[in-house]
Amino acid sequence: MAGAGTSQLSPRWATLLCLFTLLSSLLTIGVAVKENDFKKCHQSGFCKRNRAYADNAVALGSSWQAPYKVPSELASFKDGQFQATILKTIDEQGNTVQLPLTVSFLKSGTARVTVDEKKRQDKDIDLRHNSGARKERYNEAEQWTIVGGLGVDSTAKVSQESKTGIKIQYGPDFAFEADINYEPYSIQFKRDGVTQIKFNDRGLMNMEHWRPKIEKPEPEKKEGEEGQENQEGQEENKEEKQEETPEITPSEDESTWWDESFGGNTDTKPRGPESVALDITFVGYEHVYGIPEHSGPLSLKQTRGGEGNYEEPYRLYNADVFEYVLDSPMTLYGAIPFMQAQRKDSTVGVFWLNAAETWIDVTKAKESKNPLALGASAKTNTHTHWISESGLMDAFVFLGPTPRDVSKTYAELTGSTAMPQEFSLGYHQCRWNYVSDDDVKEVDRKMDRYNVPYDVIWLDIEYTDDKQYFTWDGDMFKNPISMGQHLDNHGRKLVAIIDPHIKNKGGYYVSEELKSKGLAVKNKDGNDFDGWCWPGSSHWVDAFNPAAIKWWASLFSYERFKGTMENTWIWNDMNEPSVFNGPEVTMPKDNLHHGGWEHRDVHNVNGMTFHNATFEALLTRKKGELRRPFILTRSFYAGSQRLGAMWTGDNQANWEHLGASIPMILAQGISGFPFSGADVGGFFGNPELELQSRWYQAGAFYPFFRGHAHIDARRREPFLLAEPHRSIITSALRLRYSLLPAWYTAFYHANRDGSPIIRPLYWTHPSEEGGFDIDNQFFVGSTGLLVKPVVEKDKTTADIYIPDDEVYYDYFSYKKLSTSKGKHLTVEAPIESIPLLMRGGHIFPRRDIPRRSSQLMKFDDYTIVVAVGKNGQAEGELYVDDGDSFDYEKDQYIHRSFKLEGSTLASTDAEGRDVKSVKEGEWLKRMRNVAVDKIIVVGAPSSWANLKEVTIESDGKTTSALIDYHKADGSRAAYAIVKRVGASIGADWSITFA
């Protein structure tokens, strides 16, 4: 018996057993309740109400009458804008509220639909609890998110108008049309006469208008009612039966209108209910993508149950989710409410500009106009239902028609990826925590001793004095300047963490200044909000306040943040914001920010404002110093891509998290924030050697490449690993470094047109339907490099989907692969190998001299790799600048276009500039001496077989270079190597193979 057995243990062992049992149960509970720390839809009042509203409308079918209409006399169109008033009927007496509507047709071909609420707009409402909150719906998300593309197209024109609606043509060659129906209010967006997107076609639009709270008396109970359990049971059964019958005018659930509690916290809701919801249908589209950050597949799942589907909507509510679960619509650290839909040869998208908590339901349904039609003639529509807690109803519509078009026009609105510091594309070595400056130096020395290349070493929170940011632990980091100089001598950088919570401690200068200047976030009563985070009691800087941004910037000057140098950069973590004792581990929604906005209004953009404040700070650390900031953020919103990089947060050291990282990073890229990565090796836990090796191989193809580990994880720097794994990881790192010129060129394109850096198949091949749901392989920029990381234990082969008829070569062996369009190709992938193919028709640059950091590669010569296409041609690009300053804005860059046509390979300026007319700065002058060292042509034609040398023409001079031709051998393609080309990388040149 348990009792008897336990009684035989010594007191010491009995105590230990009890402690072990208690800890085990706590750990089990901890794992089980992590998801329960965060709301499901039924626990979020406004989500529950709007889902119920939708359920009722769907159940009623054709008898449902949406209560929104536009009186034709209140509608007008002028100079590219349609303006009207939507009337919402709010009761059986026919009373209405006014909702101003504006539909703007932009020069980019994008349409913007904005709905406000007049009563709130006019501030004609009463706030409860004497709140100091603003009365309007939040209308400043645009100020943080939108940077351009809002010019109205005054040429947009009315093609048809009547009392029932209006049709407006706009966009390129007037190919787009908005068909606005007045009663009930709805909009169809068409391209070339075909409907692509519908707003409110199912009548689920719901804009919760302001209404005063009316205290309703509790109904009096009749004598003896308390004991009538039988009667209560009968009443419950009666209620259940009533719920089964949809109501024509459903009674509204008021239980969470005026306050709402969760996890011991109560939200006071001074403005009452104010949610906005809209159904958006993608007509004929089966695949939708985007709305990061979530841990599921790239092609979004349905959310209303059924086999393989989710039960919950996708949630966007930035939160500190500890050890997040996989394959879930649960919220994570960032939010980009941008969704794209894809069908064969057609891409469209919608951007929902709302910074409040948002839920999105996704369902799919077959539709056929002919009830007898079967099979292919029945198209699939994807129905989405967008629900936000507050703010405007503000949506942008993109009609493509290509993925590139949608990415480009979205980037015109929200901005594109900042040109990065070149070092930031190298490898970053991080853990929580390197314990001292000597520890940092020793890691750096050992990386060199074992020939492991890297660029940056990181410091987590333990470097500070008692979790006080902008300070150093004087015992462990006695001389941070010496540490920084040591790294600088090796061409390396340091990143230090700075979070938004400021320790509430007397005598701590940052805290004293924050409070004395009144720059902290306020609670609902207008006092400095006090919450709990790493330092204990903390205040939060209110980065919505311009004065706070200015003050924050002053803290980063080299004089004030002592111990930092020009090679010190910053990591912003916990900026959702994370509040350990707050509701859902974040800030109360009724907190107040600058301008009187409630936190509920701005929550999802909050992290970006802090990221922005740090970005501004790094621009002004020293007078006359103007360098590109590098800042990593965990929390983000649409527009954060302008400010730096992100990572996918607290993942786990297991194969499932390795596999999940790829669709997560792909989703970031197509949603406009491609500078992204996942913690290589997994943050929590200790990866086995095979997993760690495979993760580095995958990480070598993340745009942001950082190894990171929890404070309780074993040390796992690459030099510590047993062979062959140390060599395997070092090879993956060297592959990354050799391809840095190609990566930098991909970042340039992302900066110019918003294109993803790693690209899913639907984006690169929008005609190939077989690739639309593939999210475990991708192309790198426009290089033609196709990667399929191995993400399964003991897997030694990889099945790669081939999306076209082009020729493919193995990157390492030059083997010409036996491929078929629309079929999978199985390639060998032993532990030391990364499945990496070269698509024919592409040219990409490399640097092949092994170095220990990117800084030491800056003026190395280049290798040009040509993968000859089926038609005997190939093309590609190189973009390079100083990788540090903003001088590229003054023409201080090299941008080359490479083309192989017939027997000639040529390099010309990609923009047609007369490069000789560019006034050279110091960097361009040094680049004169950087040359093309060699050219490798894979798939070289047999007509070159007898060549011994080739002719090079450059700068009016003709020279020659040796060529080694290697005939095809079995499955290996023929290839040729031109040695010591010598032509300047920035000059025009041509090589004749004849």
Side-chain angles (χ1 to χ4, degrees), residues 810-824:
D810 181 87
Y811 178 86
F812 302 99
S813 67
Y814 305 158
K815 179 180 178 181
K816 185 177 178 180
L817 301 167
S818 179
T819 60
S820 297
K821 179 181 178 180
K823 304 291 185 183
H824 281 86

Side-chain angles (χ1 to χ4, degrees), residues 230-244:
N230 237 359
Q231 185 177 335
E232 287 175 7
Q234 290 170 9
E235 289 298 321
E236 285 175 12
N237 289 337
K238 184 179 178 182
E239 286 174 13
E240 286 176 12
K241 288 177 183 176
Q242 287 175 342
E243 286 175 7
E244 291 172 7

